[in-house]
Amino acid sequence: MKSFKVADFNAPLQEIDEPTPQPAGTQVLIKVKAAGVCHSDLHIWEGGYDLGHGRKPLSLKDRGVSLPRTMGHETVGEIIAFGPDVKESDKGGLKTGDVVLAYPWLGCGKCKTCVGGDENMCIVKPNALGVYCDGGYADHMTVPHPKYLLDLKGLDPVTAAPYACSGVTTYSALKKVEFAFDSPIVIFGAGGLGLMALSLLKAMGSRGAIVVDIDAKKREAAEKAGALATVDGGAADALEQLTKKAGEPIRAVIDLVGNAKTTQLGFDCLTKGGKLVIVGLFGGGAPWALPLIPIKAITIQGSYVGNLRETQELLDLVRAKKIAAIPVTPMPLGKANEALANLKEGRQIGRAILTP
């Protein structure tokens, strides 16, 4: 098996050849067909998050991320083999040869949160594939149980891979602002998540979104993807542009960037009773004047990926509404380092997909 692993934080990924794993217990072995390169991978590769206000960065090593680690949490693969403890009732109709999306946001599987269906929110022992366990930057991967494999039923593996993260992340965030779907919502960031959000909005019954990004090429991509309008977040009059282009009070903002400037502008553009949903993990410290939060009665909510049920809902929606895929750039597995560099430097439009 060939894989590309983080051997040291902030160092190039190392190409590793090792025996292909055999599935044990309830594991399932898949042959990787596509693995998305997500902005979260940059944080894993770098080893932490900027907390702002002069605080010590949040260390992933201190949070249990051990090295070497194969990243990749947006993975599609073909089922090769089931472990010896997998019962027919566990397979949910899946069989060898099926092409599946691997749900990556695993927890301990035993606490109340996990049993309740929100493994992505587990605080006992997070086990996310590609973060705490080896993921899809490889030609093979094991998944702990068949229940985490979702049948793609004819969807293209390369364009479907991002549904495991950018897809379910934006879907879950959009569900949190459904109350404002009869008004234009504002989305910060026109990368993979922003374009994914635009592809989902119409299918979910929204009027649409105004997209904010500092990159002209990404704003152009958002316009092609159906944005109602775009705004340069670095413009001195960005707030005035947002107000004018919305044409009515802005009730909901989804920030897919998550830095001090975007969250400040997102907060400022909201009307009374509005909601700011923060998804992005770019980093920094909270910028708001505290008295304005109660004065404006603003809700500030974090949104972390999504659960297994939401991922299945998303795939069902994509098939039912024939939702267009976001732009993708297929790249050989051997170019994993190049894909990360393109993402870090802001050169990637849409999603880079490694195709072993």
Side-chain angles (χ1 to χ4, degrees):
M1 180 179 92
K2 185 182 296 294
S3 63
F4 282 79
K5 297 181 182 289
V6 180
D8 292 297
F9 294 121
N10 282 308
L13 305 182
Q14 290 191 3
E15 181 178 345
I16 304 293
D17 289 299
E18 56 192 326
T20 301
Q22 298 303 306
T26 61
Q27 289 180 334
V28 184
L29 176 67
I30 64 173
K31 184 177 182 180
V32 176
K33 286 182 168 291
V37 180
C38 177
H39 200 278
S40 295
D41 291 336
L42 289 179
H43 294 291
I44 299 166
W45 178 45
E46 293 167 350
Y49 297 92
D50 175 14
L51 299 181
H53 298 311
R55 286 178 287 197
K56 179 182 177 182
L58 178 66
S59 166
L60 290 178
K61 182 179 180 181
D62 292 345
R63 293 174 64 83
V65 175
S66 59
L67 301 183
R69 176 66 59 230
T70 304
M71 298 192 298
H73 51 264
E74 295 183 342
T75 310
V76 169
E78 176 186 347
I79 296 176
I80 300 299
F82 293 93
D85 295 340
V86 176
K87 303 174 184 177
E88 283 301 317
S89 58
D90 294 330
K91 296 180 181 179
L94 295 174
K95 58 186 183 303
T96 55
D98 284 345
V99 177
V100 292
L101 180 74
Y103 176 76
W105 308 111
L106 313 185
C108 70
K110 299 177 182 179
C111 68
K112 288 183 179 180
T113 299
C114 288
V115 172
D118 292 316
E119 285 200 51
N120 57 304
M121 300 299 292
C122 179
I123 61 172
V124 175
K125 187 175 175 26
N127 282 307
L129 303 179
V131 183
Y132 297 94
C133 307
D134 284 340
Y137 286 19
D139 53 28
H140 289 79
M141 185 176 91
T142 57
V143 178
H145 193 281
K147 69 181 179 181
Y148 301 118
L149 297 175
L150 305 177
D151 195 340
L152 286 183
K153 297 179 181 177
L155 293 177
D156 177 66
V158 174
T159 57
Y163 293 134
C165 180
S166 64
V168 72
T169 296
T170 52
Y171 178 71
S172 184
L174 287 168
K175 286 176 67 176
K176 294 175 172 67
V177 297
E178 282 183 310
F179 74 95
F181 274 4
D182 59 345
S183 304
I185 68 170
V186 173
I187 293 175
F188 282 81
L193 271 75
L195 298 181
M196 182 69 74
L198 289 171
S199 73
L200 295 175
L201 274 170
K202 186 175 181 180
M204 294 176 71
S206 167
R207 266 182 61 185
I210 301 168
V211 176
V212 183
D213 202 293
I214 59 174
D215 188 310
K217 289 184 178 179
K218 291 183 179 179
R219 293 197 302 275
E220 181 181 353
E223 289 166 2
K224 290 180 179 178
L228 298 175
T230 59
V231 172
D232 179 356
D237 64 342
L239 180 58
E240 289 77 11
Q241 286 190 51
L242 275 171
T243 302
K244 182 178 180 180
K245 291 182 179 183
E248 61 182 274
I250 297 170
R251 300 160 60 207
V253 172
I254 296 178
D255 186 353
L256 302 172
V257 179
N259 65 29
K261 290 183 178 179
T262 58
T263 52
Q264 180 69 71
L265 182 55
F267 182 93
D268 290 344
C269 77
L270 282 170
T271 189
K272 285 189 174 182
K275 178 185 278 192
L276 169 62
V277 176
I278 303 173
V279 177
L281 295 165
F282 190 90
W288 315 293
L290 296 181
L292 293 180
I293 297 175
I295 289 171
K296 294 181 69 174
I298 297 293
T299 298
I300 300 169
Q301 182 175 5
S303 188
Y304 181 68
V305 296
N307 60 36
L308 179 59
R309 180 186 66 257
E310 288 172 323
T311 310
Q312 185 63 65
E313 288 176 7
L314 171 63
L315 292 182
D316 292 342
L317 183 68
V318 168
R319 278 188 285 264
K321 300 290 187 178
K322 296 181 171 56
I323 295 173
I326 65 170
V328 297
T329 306
M331 301 178 72
L333 178 61
K335 291 192 174 181
N337 278 301
E338 182 180 331
L340 281 173
N342 288 343
L343 189 59
K344 184 173 183 177
E345 298 301 321
R347 295 190 295 265
Q348 182 62 48
I349 302 297
R351 202 49 129 213
I353 308 291
L354 302 177
T355 54

